[in-house]
Amino acid sequence: MESLTNIVQGILNMGSSVVLPIIIFILAMVFRVPVRKAVVSGLTVGIGMLGISLVLGLLSDNVGPAAQAMVERFGLNLTIVDAGWPAVSAATWAQPIAAVMIPVILIVNLIMLALNWTKTLNIDIWNYWHMSAAAATGYIITGNFFWGIICGVIYTVIVQIIADKTAPYVQEYYGLEGVSISTGSAQGYALIGIPVAWAVSKIPGIGDLDVDPETIQKRFGIFGEPMIMGIIIGGAMAILGGYDVTKVLQTAMAMGAVMFILPRMVKILMEGLIPIQEAAQSMLQKRYGDREIFLGMDAALATGSPAALSTGLLMVPITLLIAVLLPGNRVLPFADLATIPFFAALVVPTRKGNILHSVISLTVVITFALWMATNYAPVLTQMAEGVVDFPKGASQISNFDTGGNILNWIFVPLSNLVKGIL
């Protein structure tokens, strides 16, 4: 088991910009794409993903310190620290059950495809860790390896269903033809966020307000340009963090750059995916008629949207405010604040980019996420012991991506129930 874990970790450590081109090339060969075009497609996807990672790194490097400055400035004192998805992901892969889950997830996906129970081929192997975290949760609570596998399988089935159901919105709004979003955290927040956003759209007055980037641009001219929106939001965050003038301007420019560059990186990646998608559709139509197939991809593709990115950035100070005021919350938001645009990825397209509706719905979701993350903390802390260096002053750790994700959290009470039966 240790050898298998090391092999899996070695592959994942190469990064998406290396492994994804290989996966794309293999898929291209399966779908009979000419070798030259397959090589170019794979490399283009890898370059696009590398560009996205670099821009998201710029986002994280600026949002994280700004959020920390806000925490220190307003004297927030909560005992469970949001350690972020990288820490929880590392803790997940360190569990013995995690390495087993990769082939299990693939097999479940392929069986569902063969039986026409799903349209999504989930090639986003880095985010398999969300399903593996559910498996690890079940195993840690019950001590039963088989139950842990069942938890991971249930999560996998749910991911496939949500990816299929939200694919039409993803493809229409983001222009990601033949793509579905199979990231577990984006789906978990959408599970609550989409119905809440629909309810918000029915509120008299608020429901009629159309606050999408296009409308903002029409009404406010240059101030509605995505890069200007990024500069304004980034500058506001820096001011709330108590930055001096130089740091305010630097943060503002960084956020403007993210808003401007990220959509272009997504377009590069999509150029590489198009030949694969066309070949897959052609092969399926020959064999199964009009049957569709979607490539399950990372929610990072959605962050190229000004509406999704703006929604996520606006939620950073709102999340900190909720954390302070919410009774029963013990989680100090920190590392996953830069990840909030991912949580908006499936909510925004269902509201056709309405930032106001998306922000209101995510405010509701984040409220529940903080309670869930507080409840999940003992399990995530146990999972991370000996693997992750705990932040200074933290008695326990949790996060939003997993701890505040209902698709992961649900396995805490469910596993406790099973433990009582076993």
Side-chain angles (χ1 to χ4, degrees), residues 86-103:
V88 177
S89 173
T92 297
W93 289 122
Q95 304 307 309
I97 199 170
V100 177
M101 283 309 301
I102 288 186

Side-chain angles (χ1 to χ4, degrees), residues 387-405:
V387 180
V388 176
D389 293 329
F390 282 26
K392 185 178 179 181
S395 61
Q396 293 180 316
I397 67 165
S398 190
N399 74 332
F400 284 101
D401 191 280
T402 311
N405 177 356

Side-chain angles (χ1 to χ4, degrees), residues 40-158:
V40 172
S41 292
L43 293 176
T44 302
V45 168
I47 290 168
M49 184 57 75
L50 184 59
I52 290 171
S53 298
L54 290 171
V55 181
L56 290 178
L58 179 64
L59 173 68
S60 180
D61 290 345
N62 284 273
V63 172
Q68 184 177 15
M70 280 187 269
V71 167
E72 293 173 355
R73 188 181 186 197
F74 294 107
L76 306 189
N77 185 24
L78 299 164
T79 57
I80 301 172
V81 175
D82 161 25
W85 72 264
V88 177
S89 173
T92 297
W93 289 122
Q95 304 307 309
I97 199 170
V100 177
M101 283 309 301
I102 288 186
V104 169
I105 293 164
L106 279 170
I107 290 168
V108 170
N109 190 178
L110 293 174
I111 290 173
M112 292 181 72
L113 276 170
L115 296 175
N116 200 18
W117 292 352
T118 185
K119 298 178 180 179
T120 295
L121 175 61
N122 188 355
I123 62 174
D124 184 21
I125 64 170
W126 290 270
N127 282 305
Y128 281 16
W129 77 266
H130 290 99
M131 294 82 118
S132 298
T137 297
Y139 174 59
I140 287 172
I141 291 175
T142 66
N144 189 299
F145 200 87
F146 182 67
W147 169 247
I149 296 292
I150 291 175
C151 292
V153 169
I154 293 171
Y155 198 135
T156 300
V157 172
I158 294 172

